[in-house]
Amino acid sequence: MIDGFYPALGTPTSDNGELIEISYNKEIELMIEAGAQGVLCMGSMGKMAAIRNSEYPKIAKYCFEVVSKRIPVMVGVMDCSASRVLDRIEALDNINIDGVVATPPYYSKAGSDGIINFFRMLSNNSKYPVYIYDLPSVTQSPITGDILKSLTGIPNIKGIKTANLNLILDLYRNDWRQDDFSIFYSGLDLFDVALNSGVGKNLDGMFTCTPYNSKEMYENMGQGNSGKVSKHLNNILKLRNIFLNENVFPAYSYAMELIGCPGNYHFDYDNPVSKEVREEVYNCMKAINEI
């Protein structure tokens, strides 16, 4: 896993929950054309917890086939127990992906020992490299520095996705870096700060609806132009903040429709985004050159 941006793909489904392949194909191609260094299939933005069991392996396989080994593919396997996560891994049927991404169990709060035991069980039984997803807003169980140091000593655990920049910087300040362990920062609001601090891998779902600004942001990072990096990040944040005005996922569905990837990226119980927010999304995407 090399430095750069890693989009958490949205999952476009029909009203009956089936994957809309043509939209998913285009989304993936837009990200590869924009310079993505890897993708996360069925993470939080990909509504992994709401995907039909019958569609889950099909979506992972389709993503793998479209990417066709051009960049790494990770697949979300989040669930409420190690055995249920391992069932998801088994459902992937040996497709040749580059890793699986799991939060700590999220139905009931897990303590430090429980988190370590959980990931040790995954490491021992997963046919794929395991990546930790630190998502305390859902799991109630943040990954601390002490937990992370214990987990990195477990074979087959190969990285972490976290929005906790302090956690990452504390590790870096203590010269804790391992070549075979990747750290993905997911705190969108501080991506420019993280990049300037040497945190080179960013993972977020907003990249998928802003391919132009994502490409420009990371190309300018490679050229050392921090002012333009912040400018394009600010464009992405403007759109994200409009999503937050109402309901993120229906607004995101509309944004994806505008870039030619229609489908339900929201949950099946969500109401469509309002006319007012649709207008805001459209005007913003036009202003930031996404449409």
Side-chain angles (χ1 to χ4, degrees):
M1 302 289 181
I2 64 176
D3 285 356
F5 78 94
Y6 290 72
L9 299 171
T11 308
T13 54
S14 62
D15 289 342
N16 63 3
E18 294 179 352
L19 179 69
I20 301 175
E21 292 184 355
I22 190 170
S23 291
Y24 205 38
N25 187 312
K26 183 170 183 180
E27 178 187 2
I28 293 167
E29 293 297 342
L30 283 171
M31 288 295 93
I32 293 175
E33 290 168 13
Q37 298 300 333
V39 294
L40 170 57
C41 168
M42 291 184 290
S44 295
M45 203 68 162
K47 58 181 182 183
M48 197 286 306
I51 296 294
R52 296 178 65 173
N53 287 341
S54 58
E55 287 296 294
Y56 177 77
K58 297 177 188 177
I59 294 168
K61 183 178 180 182
Y62 187 75
C63 180
F64 170 75
E65 290 174 349
V66 172
V67 171
S68 190
K69 289 308 232 181
R70 288 176 287 174
I71 54 176
V73 174
M74 298 173 281
V75 175
V77 292
M78 295 78 85
D79 219 310
C80 298
S81 68
S83 58
R84 287 179 64 89
V85 170
L86 292 170
D87 279 350
R88 289 195 177 275
I89 293 172
E90 188 64 29
L92 296 174
D93 196 28
N94 294 311
I95 57 174
N96 194 19
I97 57 173
D98 299 274
V100 292
V101 178
T103 64
Y106 56 79
Y107 184 78
S108 59
K109 184 176 180 179
S112 298
D113 289 344
I115 293 172
I116 293 167
N117 289 338
F118 172 80
F119 281 104
R120 181 179 288 114
M121 293 170 73
L122 298 191
S123 172
N124 290 340
N125 293 282
S126 172
K127 63 189 78 173
Y128 303 111
V130 175
Y131 291 83
I132 305 157
Y133 186 175
D134 181 26
L135 189 63
S137 61
V138 172
T139 65
Q140 309 172 66
S141 306
I143 303 295
T144 65
D146 288 340
I147 291 173
L148 187 56
K149 288 172 185 175
S150 296
L151 292 176
T152 54
I154 299 174
N156 205 33
I157 294 181
K158 296 300 182 183
I160 184 171
K161 172 186 184 291
T162 181
N164 187 345
L165 185 57
N166 286 332
L167 172 64
I168 299 172
L169 295 181
D170 281 346
L171 294 172
Y172 284 5
R173 290 185 191 106
N174 288 292
D175 295 324
W176 185 93
R177 298 190 191 220
Q178 298 184 16
D179 291 338
D180 64 344
F181 190 89
S182 295
I183 296 177
F184 301 90
Y185 180 57
S186 59
L188 182 63
D189 298 80
L190 294 176
F191 273 178
D192 49 355
V193 174
L195 288 166
N196 288 329
S197 300
V199 183
K201 301 178 185 68
N202 297 150
L203 198 158
D204 195 84
M206 284 299 298
F207 294 130
T208 58
C209 58
T210 55
Y212 168 76
N213 282 279
S214 299
K215 180 179 182 179
E216 290 294 313
M217 180 176 165
Y218 285 88
E219 285 186 350
N220 278 285
M221 183 63 198
Q223 298 164 9
N225 194 332
S226 59
K228 287 191 175 180
V229 170
S230 295
K231 172 190 170 183
H232 291 290
L233 174 59
N234 192 51
N235 286 343
I236 297 171
L237 290 171
K238 286 177 183 176
L239 183 61
R240 191 280 313 271
N241 290 342
I242 293 172
F243 292 178
L244 292 172
N245 285 340
E246 194 169 275
N247 187 334
V248 169
F249 286 95
Y252 171 64
S253 289
Y254 180 59
M256 294 301 289
E257 179 183 333
L258 290 175
I259 63 169
C261 305
N264 295 335
Y265 294 82
H266 52 273
F267 298 96
D268 54 13
Y269 53 80
D270 281 329
N271 290 321
V273 69
S274 69
K275 179 181 177 181
E276 292 75 18
V277 171
R278 285 169 69 95
E279 290 178 355
E280 287 187 68
V281 169
Y282 177 85
N283 291 334
C284 179
M285 292 186 73
K286 199 167 181 64
I288 65 175
N289 296 314
E290 291 297 345
I291 56 175

